[in-house]
Amino acid sequence: MKLTLRVWRQQNADAPGTMATYPVDGISEDMSFLEMLDTLNEELTLKGEEPVAFDHDCREGICGACSLVINGDAHGPERTTTCQLHMRSFDDGDTIDVEPWRAAAFPVVKDLVVDRSAFDRIIQSGGYISAPTGAAPEAHSTPVPKPDADFAFEHAECIGCGACVAACPNGSAMLFTSAKINHLNVLPQGAPERETRVLDMVAQMDEEGFGGCTLTGECATACPKGIPLPSIAAMNKEWLRATRKVSR
Amino acid sequence: MARTLLKSTVGKKTIMAVSGLIMLMYLVVHMLGNLKIFFGAGEFNHYAHWLRTLGEPFLHYEWALWLIRVVLVAAVVAHAVSAYQLSRLDRRARPVAYAHKRRRASYATRTMRWGGIILALFIVWHLLDLTTGTVHPGGFQEGHPYQNVVDTFSTWYSGVIYIVAMLALGLHIRHGFWSAAQTLGAGNATRDRVLKATANALALVLTVGFIAVPVAVMTGVVS
């Protein structure tokens, strides 16, 4: 396959960036999108140019490190992570636009790499449970109803990649935050912090400068782990409940 | 609690949802009342007069009407202020736009902000036209709403303004009702289809119900 890439190049957080055009040749349709970028970077390195910086880690679709907005879609045209996106999703001769996640709360570090520490701070503000340490407890000592376990697991699938923020026209992090809150709030282990968790995590989310939700549903469409849009409604319900219960 | 509600994006959305639902309830009643015009001048004018004597003798003349007006003004102000604040936050959250543009979301979703502004301007015109009579095209007569409505829609531009605004209203309600339900935590995977169908039905019924009046006047069904 022969492709034309238009890639966002930006030296550092303060430098102005621009879309640079690169032709790439000899791409197999069995390559992943990241392997295609590796090919480009090898060529750039051989020519003495600076390779394109992009985030990646496990390349198995489970770590949440890779990002990229490809032709306007977070993680590209398939519903998966960029590392699991294959070049067979594109046609020979295509021009592909590659951009970083765009959000005030995700400043560009370099080229396609953005700083997603805002997510870490949201997690730190309430994405934990208080549990006694020591020997592993008996698994059946705390019964969890099957529907609750399923609901928790569905939301625990969130890998925190930030595609929801990148896809949202408002740069909102509500799908991410709702996944983290719902995951723990439905379980008995998360019950002691049920109110403070949702209040603190939503407050931290606002603090980071993410936008509000207008229910466009772009986040849920982009999410590689299929976190559903009603998660946000579930979070709102928890938030309203906590606001009523806790006077602050 | 009040501070949390006013400060948080989720809180601001809650204010939008509640104020929106108050206005929506009013619109349903307003639309049903409008349809009385099809029963003739006598019944329509009598209905308008009854609105002023509503609640008597416990309430004084027009008190119920003013009570409704106060609640509505509060709802409009709360809705508009929250919308303005949230829109500013949303714009600031995405300072650099994507170079690769693509159309996102449905038409109703994308036009919420402009639709809201169109509706706000419409309400101003609508009040100046049929409540105060300031911009009324004929001789505005207090207490004769039937004749006032017929006079208004005898001019082509009033009909156009009204119909365009009601189409904007339909789109606004279509996305707004569903969004409000999500904001108030009523949404879940199984209930969302019902909520969406309700939003569509409300939007359609209100738009058709409101547009029926100018169309009837313009076609001579009501004269």
Side-chain angles (χ1 to χ4, degrees), chain A residues 69 71-73 97 99-100 102-104 165-168 170 174 202 206 209 211-216 218 229-230 233 236-237 239-240 243 248, chain B residues 1 4-5 8-11 13-14 90 92-96 98-100 102 104-105 109 113 175 178-179 182-185 187-189 192:
Chain A
V69 170
N71 284 342
D73 289 318
D97 289 337
E99 297 174 77
R102 292 287 187 204
V165 175
C168 176
N170 310 320
M174 291 227 184
V202 168
D206 287 342
C213 176
T214 50
L215 275 306
T216 63
E218 292 290 338
L229 189 60
N236 292 338
K237 197 174 174 182
W239 189 88
L240 289 168
T243 308
R248 39 166 68 191
Chain B
M1 180 180 156
T4 321
L5 212 59
S8 162
T9 48
V10 180
K13 287 285 298 182
T14 308
D90 294 348
R92 252 185 262 154
R94 165 79 36 81
V96 183
Y98 288 110
H100 189 104
R102 71 173 184 86
R104 287 166 189 278
T109 311
R113 284 175 192 144
H175 184 69
W178 184 74
S179 287
Q182 303 296 320
T183 301
L184 297 176
N188 63 37
D192 272 3

Short mmCIF file of all heavy atoms in Angstrom, two decimals, chain A residues 69 71-73 97 99-100 102-104 165-168 170 174 202 206 209 211-216 218 229-230 233 236-237 239-240 243 248, chain B residues 1 4-5 8-11 13-14 90 92-96 98-100 102 104-105 109 113 175 178-179 182-185 187-189 192:
data_model
loop_
_atom_site.label_atom_id
_atom_site.label_comp_id
_atom_site.label_asym_id
_atom_site.label_seq_id
_atom_site.Cartn_x
_atom_site.Cartn_y
_atom_site.Cartn_z
N VAL A 69 -6.03 10.72 16.80
CA VAL A 69 -7.28 10.98 16.08
C VAL A 69 -6.98 10.81 14.60
O VAL A 69 -6.16 11.53 14.04
CB VAL A 69 -7.82 12.39 16.39
CG1 VAL A 69 -8.98 12.74 15.47
CG2 VAL A 69 -8.29 12.45 17.84
N ASN A 71 -8.22 10.64 10.78
CA ASN A 71 -9.30 11.15 9.92
C ASN A 71 -10.50 11.63 10.74
O ASN A 71 -11.66 11.35 10.40
CB ASN A 71 -9.73 10.08 8.91
CG ASN A 71 -8.72 9.94 7.78
OD1 ASN A 71 -7.90 10.83 7.56
ND2 ASN A 71 -8.79 8.83 7.07
N GLY A 72 -10.23 12.31 11.84
CA GLY A 72 -11.28 12.89 12.66
C GLY A 72 -11.90 11.93 13.66
O GLY A 72 -12.75 12.33 14.45
N ASP A 73 -11.50 10.65 13.63
CA ASP A 73 -12.06 9.67 14.57
C ASP A 73 -11.02 9.30 15.62
O ASP A 73 -9.88 8.96 15.27
CB ASP A 73 -12.47 8.39 13.83
CG ASP A 73 -13.70 8.60 12.97
OD1 ASP A 73 -14.63 9.28 13.42
OD2 ASP A 73 -13.71 8.08 11.83
N ASP A 97 -5.22 11.70 7.84
CA ASP A 97 -4.88 12.76 8.78
C ASP A 97 -4.68 12.17 10.17
O ASP A 97 -5.55 11.45 10.67
CB ASP A 97 -6.01 13.81 8.84
CG ASP A 97 -6.07 14.62 7.56
OD1 ASP A 97 -5.04 14.68 6.86
OD2 ASP A 97 -7.14 15.19 7.26
N GLU A 99 -3.87 13.23 14.10
CA GLU A 99 -3.76 14.36 15.04
C GLU A 99 -3.76 13.86 16.47
O GLU A 99 -4.21 12.75 16.75
CB GLU A 99 -4.97 15.30 14.84
CG GLU A 99 -5.01 15.94 13.46
CD GLU A 99 -6.30 16.74 13.26
OE1 GLU A 99 -6.38 17.84 13.79
OE2 GLU A 99 -7.21 16.23 12.58
N PRO A 100 -3.26 14.67 17.38
CA PRO A 100 -3.30 14.27 18.80
C PRO A 100 -4.70 14.47 19.38
O PRO A 100 -5.54 15.12 18.76
CB PRO A 100 -2.30 15.22 19.47
CG PRO A 100 -2.31 16.44 18.61
CD PRO A 100 -2.59 15.97 17.20
N ARG A 102 -7.36 16.37 21.23
CA ARG A 102 -7.45 17.81 21.40
C ARG A 102 -8.32 18.16 22.59
O ARG A 102 -9.54 17.94 22.56
CB ARG A 102 -8.06 18.45 20.15
CG ARG A 102 -7.19 18.40 18.92
CD ARG A 102 -6.04 19.36 19.04
NE ARG A 102 -5.29 19.44 17.79
CZ ARG A 102 -4.01 19.81 17.76
NH1 ARG A 102 -3.36 20.10 18.87
NH2 ARG A 102 -3.38 19.90 16.60
N ALA A 103 -7.71 18.66 23.66
CA ALA A 103 -8.46 19.12 24.83
C ALA A 103 -7.56 20.02 25.65
O ALA A 103 -6.34 19.78 25.71
CB ALA A 103 -8.94 17.94 25.67
N ALA A 104 -8.14 21.04 26.26
CA ALA A 104 -7.36 21.95 27.09
C ALA A 104 -6.71 21.18 28.24
O ALA A 104 -5.60 21.48 28.66
CB ALA A 104 -8.25 23.05 27.63
N VAL A 165 -12.81 11.91 25.54
CA VAL A 165 -12.54 13.35 25.58
C VAL A 165 -12.21 13.85 24.17
O VAL A 165 -12.68 14.90 23.74
CB VAL A 165 -11.37 13.64 26.54
CG1 VAL A 165 -11.00 15.12 26.50
CG2 VAL A 165 -11.70 13.21 27.95
N ALA A 166 -11.39 13.07 23.46
CA ALA A 166 -10.97 13.47 22.11
C ALA A 166 -12.15 13.53 21.16
O ALA A 166 -12.21 14.40 20.29
CB ALA A 166 -9.94 12.48 21.59
N ALA A 167 -13.12 12.63 21.32
CA ALA A 167 -14.26 12.58 20.41
C ALA A 167 -15.33 13.60 20.75
O ALA A 167 -16.05 14.07 19.88
CB ALA A 167 -14.87 11.18 20.42
N CYS A 168 -15.43 13.97 22.03
CA CYS A 168 -16.50 14.86 22.47
C CYS A 168 -16.32 16.26 21.91
O CYS A 168 -15.24 16.83 22.01
CB CYS A 168 -16.51 14.94 24.01
SG CYS A 168 -17.73 16.12 24.62
N ASN A 170 -17.26 18.86 23.15
CA ASN A 170 -17.04 19.77 24.29
C ASN A 170 -15.79 19.41 25.08
O ASN A 170 -15.57 19.97 26.15
CB ASN A 170 -18.24 19.73 25.24
CG ASN A 170 -19.55 19.92 24.53
OD1 ASN A 170 -19.64 20.73 23.61
ND2 ASN A 170 -20.56 19.18 24.93
N MET A 174 -16.79 13.09 30.87
CA MET A 174 -17.85 12.48 31.68
C MET A 174 -17.93 10.97 31.50
O MET A 174 -18.26 10.26 32.44
CB MET A 174 -19.19 13.12 31.37
CG MET A 174 -19.25 14.55 31.85
SD MET A 174 -20.77 14.90 32.73
CE MET A 174 -20.56 16.64 33.04
N VAL A 202 -16.15 14.22 40.34
CA VAL A 202 -16.78 15.20 39.44
C VAL A 202 -16.17 16.58 39.65
O VAL A 202 -15.88 17.30 38.69
CB VAL A 202 -18.32 15.22 39.64
CG1 VAL A 202 -18.94 16.42 38.94
CG2 VAL A 202 -18.94 13.93 39.10
N ASP A 206 -14.13 18.78 36.81
CA ASP A 206 -14.39 20.19 36.46
C ASP A 206 -13.13 21.04 36.63
O ASP A 206 -12.83 21.90 35.81
CB ASP A 206 -15.51 20.76 37.35
CG ASP A 206 -16.88 20.20 36.97
OD1 ASP A 206 -17.01 19.68 35.85
OD2 ASP A 206 -17.80 20.30 37.80
N GLY A 209 -10.63 21.32 33.81
CA GLY A 209 -10.97 22.10 32.62
C GLY A 209 -11.60 21.29 31.49
O GLY A 209 -11.56 21.70 30.33
N GLY A 211 -14.91 19.95 29.48
CA GLY A 211 -16.20 20.58 29.22
C GLY A 211 -17.35 19.79 29.82
O GLY A 211 -17.16 18.75 30.46
N GLY A 212 -18.57 20.29 29.59
CA GLY A 212 -19.75 19.62 30.10
C GLY A 212 -20.31 18.64 29.06
O GLY A 212 -19.89 18.63 27.92
N CYS A 213 -21.28 17.84 29.50
CA CYS A 213 -21.87 16.84 28.61
C CYS A 213 -23.10 17.43 27.91
O CYS A 213 -23.94 18.03 28.56
CB CYS A 213 -22.28 15.62 29.41
SG CYS A 213 -23.11 14.37 28.44
N THR A 214 -23.17 17.28 26.57
CA THR A 214 -24.39 17.67 25.87
C THR A 214 -25.06 16.45 25.24
O THR A 214 -25.88 16.58 24.33
CB THR A 214 -24.12 18.74 24.79
OG1 THR A 214 -23.03 18.31 23.98
CG2 THR A 214 -23.76 20.08 25.40
N LEU A 215 -24.68 15.27 25.71
CA LEU A 215 -25.33 14.03 25.28
C LEU A 215 -25.30 13.85 23.75
O LEU A 215 -26.28 13.42 23.17
CB LEU A 215 -26.78 13.98 25.78
CG LEU A 215 -27.09 13.46 27.18
CD1 LEU A 215 -26.49 12.10 27.43
CD2 LEU A 215 -26.69 14.41 28.28
N THR A 216 -24.18 14.19 23.12
CA THR A 216 -24.09 13.94 21.69
C THR A 216 -23.81 12.47 21.42
O THR A 216 -24.07 11.98 20.32
CB THR A 216 -22.96 14.77 21.03
OG1 THR A 216 -21.73 14.36 21.59
CG2 THR A 216 -23.14 16.25 21.25
N GLU A 218 -20.92 11.03 21.14
CA GLU A 218 -19.68 10.77 20.39
C GLU A 218 -18.70 9.93 21.21
O GLU A 218 -17.96 9.12 20.67
CB GLU A 218 -19.02 12.09 19.98
CG GLU A 218 -19.77 12.89 18.96
CD GLU A 218 -19.75 12.23 17.58
OE1 GLU A 218 -18.85 11.43 17.31
OE2 GLU A 218 -20.66 12.53 16.79
N LEU A 229 -23.25 5.01 26.72
CA LEU A 229 -23.64 6.38 27.06
C LEU A 229 -24.48 6.47 28.36
O LEU A 229 -24.30 7.42 29.12
CB LEU A 229 -24.40 7.01 25.88
CG LEU A 229 -24.70 8.50 25.98
CD1 LEU A 229 -23.41 9.31 26.11
CD2 LEU A 229 -25.49 8.98 24.77
N PRO A 230 -25.39 5.51 28.64
CA PRO A 230 -26.16 5.61 29.88
C PRO A 230 -25.29 5.62 31.15
O PRO A 230 -25.80 5.92 32.23
CB PRO A 230 -27.05 4.36 29.85
CG PRO A 230 -27.18 4.03 28.41
CD PRO A 230 -25.87 4.41 27.78
N ALA A 233 -25.62 8.91 32.65
CA ALA A 233 -26.87 9.08 33.39
C ALA A 233 -26.75 8.45 34.77
O ALA A 233 -27.21 9.00 35.78
CB ALA A 233 -28.03 8.47 32.62
N ASN A 236 -24.74 10.76 36.91
CA ASN A 236 -25.55 11.92 37.31
C ASN A 236 -26.47 11.55 38.46
O ASN A 236 -26.67 12.33 39.40
CB ASN A 236 -26.37 12.43 36.13
CG ASN A 236 -25.51 13.03 35.04
OD1 ASN A 236 -24.38 13.45 35.29
ND2 ASN A 236 -26.02 13.07 33.82
N LYS A 237 -27.04 10.34 38.37
CA LYS A 237 -27.95 9.87 39.41
C LYS A 237 -27.21 9.75 40.75
O LYS A 237 -27.71 10.19 41.79
CB LYS A 237 -28.51 8.49 38.99
CG LYS A 237 -29.73 8.05 39.73
CD LYS A 237 -30.22 6.75 39.11
CE LYS A 237 -31.37 6.16 39.88
NZ LYS A 237 -31.81 4.88 39.29
N TRP A 239 -24.51 11.35 41.54
CA TRP A 239 -24.10 12.71 41.96
C TRP A 239 -25.25 13.43 42.65
O TRP A 239 -25.08 14.05 43.69
CB TRP A 239 -23.62 13.50 40.73
CG TRP A 239 -22.99 14.81 41.07
CD1 TRP A 239 -21.68 15.04 41.35
CD2 TRP A 239 -23.65 16.09 41.17
NE1 TRP A 239 -21.48 16.37 41.62
CE2 TRP A 239 -22.66 17.04 41.52
CE3 TRP A 239 -24.96 16.51 40.99
CZ2 TRP A 239 -22.95 18.39 41.69
CZ3 TRP A 239 -25.25 17.86 41.17
CH2 TRP A 239 -24.25 18.78 41.51
N LEU A 240 -26.46 13.31 42.06
CA LEU A 240 -27.62 13.98 42.65
C LEU A 240 -27.95 13.37 44.01
O LEU A 240 -28.29 14.08 44.96
CB LEU A 240 -28.82 13.87 41.70
CG LEU A 240 -28.73 14.73 40.44
CD1 LEU A 240 -29.81 14.35 39.44
CD2 LEU A 240 -28.84 16.22 40.78
N THR A 243 -25.35 14.58 46.46
CA THR A 243 -25.54 16.00 46.76
C THR A 243 -26.65 16.18 47.77
O THR A 243 -26.58 17.02 48.67
CB THR A 243 -25.86 16.78 45.47
OG1 THR A 243 -24.86 16.47 44.52
CG2 THR A 243 -25.87 18.27 45.71
N ARG A 248 -22.50 20.10 52.05
CA ARG A 248 -21.15 20.64 52.16
C ARG A 248 -21.15 22.08 51.73
O ARG A 248 -22.04 22.52 51.07
CB ARG A 248 -20.14 19.83 51.36
CG ARG A 248 -20.68 19.35 50.00
CD ARG A 248 -19.58 18.86 49.12
NE ARG A 248 -19.01 17.63 49.65
CZ ARG A 248 -17.88 17.09 49.18
NH1 ARG A 248 -17.24 17.70 48.22
NH2 ARG A 248 -17.41 15.98 49.66
N MET B 1 -25.16 22.38 49.54
CA MET B 1 -25.81 21.70 48.40
C MET B 1 -26.04 22.68 47.27
O MET B 1 -25.73 22.39 46.11
CB MET B 1 -27.13 21.10 48.87
CG MET B 1 -27.86 20.37 47.75
SD MET B 1 -29.41 19.67 48.31
CE MET B 1 -30.29 19.59 46.76
N THR B 4 -22.75 23.45 45.54
CA THR B 4 -22.32 22.34 44.69
C THR B 4 -23.10 22.36 43.39
O THR B 4 -22.55 22.16 42.31
CB THR B 4 -22.57 20.99 45.41
OG1 THR B 4 -22.26 21.15 46.79
CG2 THR B 4 -21.74 19.89 44.82
N LEU B 5 -24.40 22.63 43.49
CA LEU B 5 -25.28 22.61 42.33
C LEU B 5 -24.90 23.72 41.34
O LEU B 5 -24.90 23.52 40.14
CB LEU B 5 -26.73 22.79 42.80
CG LEU B 5 -27.83 22.11 41.99
CD1 LEU B 5 -27.62 20.62 41.94
CD2 LEU B 5 -29.19 22.41 42.59
N SER B 8 -20.83 23.01 39.90
CA SER B 8 -20.46 21.83 39.11
C SER B 8 -21.10 21.84 37.72
O SER B 8 -22.19 22.36 37.53
CB SER B 8 -20.90 20.58 39.87
OG SER B 8 -20.95 19.49 39.02
N THR B 9 -20.41 21.23 36.75
CA THR B 9 -21.01 21.09 35.42
C THR B 9 -22.25 20.20 35.48
O THR B 9 -23.24 20.45 34.79
CB THR B 9 -20.01 20.49 34.40
OG1 THR B 9 -19.41 19.34 34.98
CG2 THR B 9 -18.94 21.47 34.01
N VAL B 10 -22.20 19.17 36.33
CA VAL B 10 -23.36 18.30 36.47
C VAL B 10 -24.51 19.07 37.11
O VAL B 10 -25.68 18.93 36.73
CB VAL B 10 -23.01 17.03 37.29
CG1 VAL B 10 -24.22 16.12 37.44
CG2 VAL B 10 -21.87 16.26 36.65
N GLY B 11 -24.18 19.94 38.07
CA GLY B 11 -25.20 20.77 38.73
C GLY B 11 -25.84 21.75 37.76
O GLY B 11 -27.06 21.92 37.74
N LYS B 13 -26.06 21.41 34.61
CA LYS B 13 -26.91 20.62 33.71
C LYS B 13 -28.23 20.27 34.39
O LYS B 13 -29.28 20.23 33.74
CB LYS B 13 -26.20 19.31 33.31
CG LYS B 13 -25.06 19.47 32.35
CD LYS B 13 -25.50 19.74 30.94
CE LYS B 13 -26.31 18.58 30.37
NZ LYS B 13 -26.69 18.83 28.99
N THR B 14 -28.18 20.02 35.69
CA THR B 14 -29.40 19.72 36.43
C THR B 14 -30.34 20.92 36.39
O THR B 14 -31.55 20.76 36.18
CB THR B 14 -29.06 19.36 37.89
OG1 THR B 14 -28.06 18.34 37.88
CG2 THR B 14 -30.28 18.89 38.64
N ASP B 90 -17.42 24.63 27.60
CA ASP B 90 -17.24 23.66 26.52
C ASP B 90 -16.27 24.18 25.48
O ASP B 90 -15.43 23.44 24.96
CB ASP B 90 -18.59 23.35 25.86
CG ASP B 90 -19.53 22.63 26.80
OD1 ASP B 90 -19.06 22.19 27.86
OD2 ASP B 90 -20.72 22.51 26.48
N ARG B 92 -13.93 26.44 25.92
CA ARG B 92 -12.58 26.55 26.49
C ARG B 92 -11.92 25.18 26.61
O ARG B 92 -10.70 25.07 26.65
CB ARG B 92 -12.66 27.21 27.87
CG ARG B 92 -12.09 28.64 27.84
CD ARG B 92 -12.05 29.21 29.22
NE ARG B 92 -13.21 30.06 29.45
CZ ARG B 92 -13.74 30.30 30.65
NH1 ARG B 92 -13.24 29.73 31.71
NH2 ARG B 92 -14.78 31.09 30.77
N ALA B 93 -12.73 24.12 26.71
CA ALA B 93 -12.17 22.78 26.88
C ALA B 93 -11.57 22.25 25.58
O ALA B 93 -10.86 21.25 25.59
CB ALA B 93 -13.25 21.83 27.37
N ARG B 94 -11.88 22.87 24.44
CA ARG B 94 -11.30 22.42 23.15
C ARG B 94 -10.74 23.65 22.43
O ARG B 94 -11.33 24.16 21.50
CB ARG B 94 -12.39 21.73 22.34
CG ARG B 94 -12.16 21.47 20.86
CD ARG B 94 -11.28 20.28 20.50
NE ARG B 94 -11.38 19.11 21.33
CZ ARG B 94 -12.32 18.17 21.23
NH1 ARG B 94 -13.26 18.25 20.32
NH2 ARG B 94 -12.31 17.13 22.03
N PRO B 95 -9.59 24.20 22.94
CA PRO B 95 -9.07 25.44 22.36
C PRO B 95 -8.54 25.28 20.94
O PRO B 95 -8.63 26.21 20.15
CB PRO B 95 -7.96 25.86 23.32
CG PRO B 95 -7.61 24.65 24.10
CD PRO B 95 -8.77 23.73 24.07
N VAL B 96 -7.98 24.11 20.62
CA VAL B 96 -7.46 23.88 19.26
C VAL B 96 -8.39 22.89 18.56
O VAL B 96 -8.60 21.78 19.03
CB VAL B 96 -6.01 23.31 19.31
CG1 VAL B 96 -5.46 23.15 17.89
CG2 VAL B 96 -5.11 24.21 20.13
N TYR B 98 -9.79 20.32 15.54
CA TYR B 98 -9.18 19.30 14.67
C TYR B 98 -9.06 19.83 13.25
O TYR B 98 -9.95 20.55 12.77
CB TYR B 98 -10.03 18.02 14.68
CG TYR B 98 -9.95 17.26 15.98
CD1 TYR B 98 -11.03 17.19 16.85
CD2 TYR B 98 -8.77 16.61 16.35
CE1 TYR B 98 -10.95 16.51 18.05
CE2 TYR B 98 -8.68 15.93 17.55
CZ TYR B 98 -9.76 15.87 18.39
OH TYR B 98 -9.68 15.20 19.58
N ALA B 99 -7.94 19.48 12.60
CA ALA B 99 -7.75 19.90 11.20
C ALA B 99 -8.67 19.09 10.29
O ALA B 99 -9.20 19.60 9.31
CB ALA B 99 -6.30 19.69 10.79
N HIS B 100 -8.88 17.81 10.63
CA HIS B 100 -9.77 16.96 9.84
C HIS B 100 -11.19 17.15 10.35
O HIS B 100 -11.55 16.70 11.44
CB HIS B 100 -9.34 15.50 9.95
CG HIS B 100 -10.08 14.61 8.99
ND1 HIS B 100 -9.50 14.13 7.84
CD2 HIS B 100 -11.35 14.14 9.00
CE1 HIS B 100 -10.38 13.40 7.18
NE2 HIS B 100 -11.52 13.38 7.86
N ARG B 102 -15.19 16.67 10.43
CA ARG B 102 -16.26 15.76 10.01
C ARG B 102 -17.51 16.12 10.79
O ARG B 102 -17.44 16.70 11.86
CB ARG B 102 -15.88 14.29 10.21
CG ARG B 102 -15.83 13.84 11.65
CD ARG B 102 -15.63 12.34 11.69
NE ARG B 102 -15.67 11.85 13.06
CZ ARG B 102 -16.78 11.53 13.70
NH1 ARG B 102 -17.94 11.64 13.10
NH2 ARG B 102 -16.75 11.08 14.93
N ARG B 104 -20.39 15.87 13.16
CA ARG B 104 -20.61 15.10 14.38
C ARG B 104 -22.07 15.23 14.84
O ARG B 104 -22.64 16.29 14.72
CB ARG B 104 -19.69 15.60 15.49
CG ARG B 104 -18.25 15.20 15.28
CD ARG B 104 -17.32 15.96 16.18
NE ARG B 104 -15.94 15.69 15.79
CZ ARG B 104 -15.25 14.61 16.15
NH1 ARG B 104 -15.80 13.71 16.92
NH2 ARG B 104 -14.01 14.44 15.74
N ALA B 105 -22.61 14.16 15.34
CA ALA B 105 -23.92 14.16 16.00
C ALA B 105 -25.08 14.55 15.07
O ALA B 105 -24.89 14.98 13.94
CB ALA B 105 -23.91 15.06 17.21
N THR B 109 -29.03 17.79 17.77
CA THR B 109 -27.99 17.93 18.79
C THR B 109 -27.08 19.11 18.48
O THR B 109 -26.74 19.90 19.36
CB THR B 109 -27.15 16.64 18.84
OG1 THR B 109 -28.04 15.54 18.92
CG2 THR B 109 -26.24 16.63 20.04
N ARG B 113 -27.65 25.08 20.64
CA ARG B 113 -27.28 26.44 21.07
C ARG B 113 -27.93 27.51 20.20
O ARG B 113 -28.58 28.42 20.72
CB ARG B 113 -25.76 26.58 21.06
CG ARG B 113 -25.15 25.88 22.25
CD ARG B 113 -23.65 25.87 22.24
NE ARG B 113 -23.18 24.94 23.26
CZ ARG B 113 -22.11 24.17 23.16
NH1 ARG B 113 -21.38 24.21 22.07
NH2 ARG B 113 -21.77 23.37 24.13
N HIS B 175 -33.91 16.84 21.29
CA HIS B 175 -32.67 16.51 21.99
C HIS B 175 -32.76 16.88 23.48
O HIS B 175 -32.19 16.19 24.32
CB HIS B 175 -31.48 17.20 21.34
CG HIS B 175 -30.17 16.80 21.96
ND1 HIS B 175 -29.65 15.54 21.82
CD2 HIS B 175 -29.31 17.47 22.76
CE1 HIS B 175 -28.50 15.46 22.49
NE2 HIS B 175 -28.28 16.63 23.08
N TRP B 178 -34.66 14.31 25.96
CA TRP B 178 -33.85 13.11 26.18
C TRP B 178 -32.64 13.44 27.06
O TRP B 178 -32.31 12.71 28.00
CB TRP B 178 -33.42 12.53 24.83
CG TRP B 178 -32.68 11.26 24.97
CD1 TRP B 178 -33.20 10.04 25.27
CD2 TRP B 178 -31.27 11.07 24.83
NE1 TRP B 178 -32.21 9.10 25.33
CE2 TRP B 178 -31.02 9.71 25.06
CE3 TRP B 178 -30.21 11.92 24.54
CZ2 TRP B 178 -29.73 9.18 25.01
CZ3 TRP B 178 -28.93 11.38 24.48
CH2 TRP B 178 -28.70 10.03 24.72
N SER B 179 -32.00 14.58 26.76
CA SER B 179 -30.83 14.99 27.55
C SER B 179 -31.20 15.25 29.00
O SER B 179 -30.46 14.88 29.91
CB SER B 179 -30.24 16.27 26.96
OG SER B 179 -29.58 16.00 25.78
N GLN B 182 -31.43 12.12 30.89
CA GLN B 182 -30.12 11.57 31.21
C GLN B 182 -29.49 12.35 32.37
O GLN B 182 -28.89 11.77 33.28
CB GLN B 182 -29.18 11.66 30.00
CG GLN B 182 -29.69 10.97 28.76
CD GLN B 182 -29.84 9.47 28.94
OE1 GLN B 182 -29.01 8.82 29.55
NE2 GLN B 182 -30.92 8.93 28.42
N THR B 183 -29.61 13.66 32.32
CA THR B 183 -29.00 14.51 33.35
C THR B 183 -29.61 14.21 34.71
O THR B 183 -28.91 14.21 35.72
CB THR B 183 -29.21 16.00 33.00
OG1 THR B 183 -28.60 16.23 31.73
CG2 THR B 183 -28.59 16.91 34.03
N LEU B 184 -30.92 13.95 34.73
CA LEU B 184 -31.58 13.67 36.01
C LEU B 184 -31.43 12.21 36.41
O LEU B 184 -32.01 11.76 37.39
CB LEU B 184 -33.04 14.08 35.94
CG LEU B 184 -33.25 15.59 35.72
CD1 LEU B 184 -34.72 15.91 35.56
CD2 LEU B 184 -32.64 16.40 36.85
N GLY B 185 -30.66 11.46 35.61
CA GLY B 185 -30.34 10.08 35.99
C GLY B 185 -31.39 9.06 35.64
O GLY B 185 -31.37 7.95 36.16
N GLY B 187 -31.88 7.76 32.67
CA GLY B 187 -31.49 6.91 31.54
C GLY B 187 -30.82 5.62 31.97
O GLY B 187 -30.05 5.60 32.90
N ASN B 188 -31.15 4.55 31.30
CA ASN B 188 -30.36 3.32 31.37
C ASN B 188 -30.57 2.56 30.06
O ASN B 188 -31.38 2.97 29.22
CB ASN B 188 -30.71 2.47 32.60
CG ASN B 188 -32.13 1.97 32.59
OD1 ASN B 188 -32.67 1.62 31.55
ND2 ASN B 188 -32.75 1.95 33.76
N ALA B 189 -29.82 1.48 29.89
CA ALA B 189 -29.78 0.81 28.59
C ALA B 189 -31.17 0.40 28.10
O ALA B 189 -31.48 0.52 26.92
CB ALA B 189 -28.87 -0.40 28.67
N ASP B 192 -33.71 3.75 27.49
CA ASP B 192 -33.36 4.80 26.56
C ASP B 192 -34.22 4.84 25.29
O ASP B 192 -34.47 5.92 24.75
CB ASP B 192 -31.88 4.73 26.20
CG ASP B 192 -31.04 5.53 27.20
OD1 ASP B 192 -31.64 6.05 28.15
OD2 ASP B 192 -29.82 5.62 27.01
#
